Amino acid sequence: MSFLSADELADLGFRSYGRDVLIDRHALFFGANRITLGDNVRIDCFSMISAGPKGIVIGSHIHISSGVYIYGTGDTVELRDFCGLSPGAKLFTATDDFSEGYLRGPQVPREYRKLKTGRVILGENVQIGAGAIVLPGVELGRNASLGALSLLSKSVLPDRVVAGIPAKELSVRDGKLADRLMSDFLKAWNRVE
């Protein structure tokens, strides 16, 4: 991987970014002035992040793998600390409604389309599996996980593991252990500072 230099990172024009941010030079950003990045963020090659008027907030200690697409043109996207997006994951804040006879696509004026929009919120320590899709209006609670190649259209409670098309609950994670490990990591991280 070939990460941007400090000067190249500054030239992207993010709203703000923290320390230890690594961005591959083949990642794309649209509306960078509406994107906030925390500390210890890594964004790998061939990812695309598009921020609309409501912006995108990416917390700290986050890895966005290769080929991840975050479409924030319809509403806010928030990735809280310790989130991970596996290769090919996609987050949408807007989508055409295909259930009725409306026209579709960005080349068609909005009055001929029926759009569903909504924010996407990933709580602390949420993991999105490879190739999974998160649709508008979804929130994944703290420590939740979405399995690979899943389609998620409904919010997920904390500590839940969900997967499938459509995604259904499979199990419950040990949220107390995950919270303790995040706390221990942050203590060690802050000592290094």
Side-chain angles (χ1 to χ4, degrees):
M1 290 207 194
S2 175
F3 294 112
L4 298 174
S5 69
D7 288 340
E8 291 171 318
L9 181 60
D11 287 344
L12 287 176
F14 290 117
R15 179 179 292 155
S16 66
Y17 61 92
R19 66 184 175 104
D20 296 328
V21 172
L22 295 173
I23 297 178
D24 187 276
R25 62 185 63 260
H26 296 102
L28 293 174
F29 300 91
F30 300 95
N33 62 325
R34 295 183 295 273
I35 299 173
T36 301
L37 304 171
D39 295 328
N40 195 26
V41 172
R42 179 175 142 181
I43 301 173
D44 290 346
C45 60
F46 313 121
S47 290
M48 189 277 300
I49 301 175
S50 179
K54 296 187 178 179
I56 294 175
V57 177
I58 297 172
S60 296
H61 316 294
I62 290 182
H63 179 219
I64 297 175
S65 296
S66 296
V68 168
Y69 298 158
I70 300 174
Y71 297 97
T73 54
D75 209 322
T76 303
V77 176
E78 183 178 350
L79 280 61
R80 296 184 181 150
D81 297 347
F82 294 99
C83 283
L85 283 83
S86 298
K90 294 168 184 62
L91 309 180
F92 293 92
T93 59
T95 184
D96 284 292
D97 183 332
F98 296 97
S99 65
E100 299 178 33
Y102 289 92
L103 300 179
R104 300 166 304 278
Q107 299 84 355
V108 176
R110 193 168 179 132
E111 64 265 21
Y112 298 100
R113 300 169 65 196
K114 183 175 182 184
L115 288 176
K116 178 182 179 189
T117 61
R119 63 190 192 151
V120 171
I121 307 292
L122 306 186
E124 292 83 356
N125 197 35
V126 165
Q127 181 66 40
I128 305 296
I133 297 173
V134 177
L135 294 176
V138 169
E139 181 170 351
L140 285 96
R142 183 180 184 96
N143 299 319
S145 294
L146 175 62
L149 301 174
S150 295
L151 176 66
L152 185 63
S153 61
K154 296 182 179 174
S155 292
V156 176
L157 293 171
D159 305 318
R160 299 315 193 266
V161 176
V162 299
I165 300 175
K168 295 188 181 339
E169 185 175 319
L170 301 178
S171 63
V172 179
R173 297 183 70 212
D174 185 347
K176 290 181 181 178
L177 173 60
D179 289 346
R180 182 176 55 78
L181 292 172
M182 281 188 287
S183 177
D184 291 350
F185 174 85
L186 286 174
K187 288 176 190 168
W189 170 265
N190 290 327
R191 278 195 300 270
V192 172
E193 230 178 337

